[in-house]
Amino acid sequence: MNPYEPENPEKQDSSVYYLAETPETVETSAQAEPVFPKLPLSAHRAYMTRVGLGFSLLAVLFTACGYGFSYLALLLKPELLTTWWFDWALSLVPLYAIALPCMLLILKAIPAAPHNETYPFRGVEVKKPRFHFGWWIVLFIICVGYLYIGSLISNGLMNLLSAITGKDYADILQSMTADAPLWLIFLATVVIAPIGEEFMFRKLLIDRTRQYGDTAAILLSAAMFALFHRNFFQLIYTFLIGLILAYVYTRTGKYWLSVSLHAAGNFVGGVLSKLMISLIGEEALESPETLMELLQANPLGMLVYFLYTMMIYAALIASVVLTIVLFRKRKLSRGTQSLTRGETASVMYLNAGVLLFIVLCLGLTVFSLIMM
């Protein structure tokens, strides 16, 4: 019998348990529901190890191909390393043409668990209400706020590290977008990245971990999403935004909703910020005095910059307030596993595959800092 599939597929429903034998049926105060025999933690860890190994392979192949292609370019045509398009090709082609297909070969043996449309409320399971467009707007505002809060914290920490080590550290993403044309930034960050990253870290990962509960799946998804960027400048805000994107997916089960939210956030952080810089000029970033001189000479630019700045500050404040207000309104499904919180944490985060992924990504992040 395949340990990742139920023995009786015809008896499964929305709470199917992929690591168990045939379920027994017991009566509860709410309704009859399937209850699965409790398996040893080693079986759960083996399951999660396979998931983690798939993502570890993704990280290894992505990095190895990137360095390999860079080395070939250095040997055959060194001038490629100074072009803006080659850096983008190294960040997209190895990931989506090589690493992702290989990871799918591992994960395809692990069937996805169905979306759970219920959550516990006053002792019974009730259906999650419809996700309205208004909620999308609210979460978008939170994402924009998290983007700039995380950036401020990361930049502060990196400036502190620079002061301690005496070495300047540059944000790899900013370096890539500095000379790239706007159309490429839009294509890569607003179209390709949201589709690909949401497929990997929401569709593939959460579908195979939500049987341990939405909370555990959300935390793991956000952490692996942030670590995979391998960039300290992005680490905090990608984790915070990853929490929101993972919540949207577990809340609705709709992949396109998390993609649209991801794309909108990247548009504000990548494309809109680039437009603002092109409007006021690169030299405006040199000092506050230079910025004021340029804005005074360009009234329209001053107005647009003022509105943009106010939008950012408003999102910063609103994201904190909305997070506090809406935290209690979260609707998270329970897992179909008979595990305690401690056992769930042990199974999800302390297995060989996930730990290998964490060590690999942290090691690559530190290595990229050392090589700057």
Side-chain angles (χ1 to χ4, degrees):
M1 184 190 73
N2 185 345
Y4 302 103
E5 295 182 344
E7 189 176 7
N8 258 340
E10 66 274 11
K11 291 188 178 181
Q12 61 181 300
D13 65 354
S14 62
S15 61
V16 106
Y17 180 129
Y18 282 101
L19 287 177
E21 305 290 340
T22 307
E24 302 169 356
T25 300
V26 299
E27 295 293 330
T28 67
S29 57
Q31 59 182 8
E33 58 182 16
V35 174
F36 296 84
K38 186 172 182 178
L39 296 180
L41 292 183
S42 58
H44 295 286
R45 286 199 183 94
Y47 177 90
M48 284 303 305
T49 292
R50 190 178 181 88
V51 174
L53 287 176
F55 281 87
S56 297
L57 178 65
L58 179 79
V60 168
L61 289 178
F62 177 39
T63 305
C65 290
Y67 282 116
F69 292 153
S70 295
Y71 183 70
L72 286 176
L74 181 63
L75 293 178
L76 304 177
K77 202 170 185 181
E79 59 269 23
L80 284 177
L81 299 177
T82 62
T83 60
W84 56 264
W85 62 266
F86 190 70
D87 282 340
W88 285 97
L90 287 180
S91 68
L92 297 175
V93 176
L95 177 59
Y96 297 113
I98 300 174
L100 178 57
C102 291
M103 180 180 71
L104 287 174
L105 293 177
I106 294 179
L107 295 187
K108 71 176 185 179
I110 309 174
H115 170 60
N116 192 341
E117 297 183 350
T118 67
Y119 72 102
F121 179 74
R122 295 181 180 178
V124 297
E125 293 290 323
V126 297
K127 189 173 182 178
K128 296 174 181 176
R130 184 180 176 186
F131 189 85
H132 293 284
F133 181 67
W135 281 107
W136 190 96
I137 295 296
V138 169
L139 294 178
F140 167 68
I141 294 172
I142 294 176
C143 283
V144 173
Y146 283 176
L147 171 64
Y148 288 96
I149 289 173
S151 296
L152 288 172
I153 297 173
S154 295
N155 287 330
L157 292 175
M158 295 308 297
N159 289 336
L160 178 61
L161 182 62
S162 295
I164 295 174
T165 62
K167 185 177 180 179
D168 290 330
Y169 297 100
D171 186 350
I172 299 174
L173 183 61
Q174 288 187 358
S175 301
M176 290 177 62
T177 58
D179 300 323
L182 191 61
W183 66 265
L184 177 63
I185 297 174
F186 180 88
L187 178 64
T189 63
V190 181
V191 180
I192 297 177
I195 293 174
E197 291 176 355
E198 292 308 298
F199 176 71
M200 291 184 288
F201 294 98
R202 253 57 75 179
K203 182 68 177 172
L204 290 179
L205 182 56
I206 291 181
D207 280 4
R208 286 156 180 80
T209 56
R210 61 185 167 203
Q211 57 182 310
Y212 295 101
D214 285 355
T215 300
I218 288 171
L219 290 173
L220 184 66
S221 171
M224 293 179 69
F225 173 64
L227 289 169
F228 187 72
H229 283 77
R230 301 167 303 161
N231 184 353
F232 275 125
F233 286 92
Q234 295 180 274
L235 185 63
I236 296 176
Y237 75 74
T238 49
F239 174 73
L240 294 175
I241 294 175
L243 293 174
I244 301 299
L245 297 174
Y247 173 72
V248 169
Y249 185 68
T250 58
R251 172 77 164 72
T252 65
K254 298 185 184 300
Y255 164 68
W256 65 269
L257 278 174
S258 61
V259 169
S260 63
L261 193 59
H262 191 158
N266 280 6
F267 177 82
V268 173
V271 177
L272 191 57
S273 60
K274 182 76 171 179
L275 286 173
M276 290 305 306
I277 293 174
S278 63
L279 177 66
I280 64 177
E282 293 278 355
E283 60 273 20
L285 302 178
E286 296 176 0
S287 67
E289 292 79 11
T290 305
L291 174 62
M292 290 307 301
E293 291 175 2
L294 290 171
L295 291 179
Q296 288 173 1
N298 183 2
L300 178 60
M302 175 179 285
L303 175 62
V304 174
Y305 182 78
F306 174 77
L307 293 176
Y308 173 77
T309 304
M310 290 300 99
M311 180 194 74
I312 298 304
Y313 282 122
L316 283 172
I317 298 171
S319 64
V320 176
V321 175
L322 289 172
T323 298
I324 296 172
V325 172
L326 299 178
F327 183 74
R328 291 186 177 182
K329 296 182 180 293
R330 67 193 187 282
K331 297 172 176 59
L332 301 172
S333 299
R334 291 182 293 196
T336 54
Q337 309 294 338
S338 303
L339 301 178
T340 65
R341 289 184 179 180
E343 290 173 337
T344 298
S346 173
V347 164
M348 291 281 282
Y349 315 123
L350 300 181
N351 62 81
V354 171
L355 287 175
L356 176 62
F357 176 86
I358 293 172
V359 171
L360 282 172
C361 291
L362 285 177
L364 291 169
T365 304
V366 173
F367 178 75
S368 66
L369 285 180
I370 294 173
M371 297 302 293
M372 284 185 182

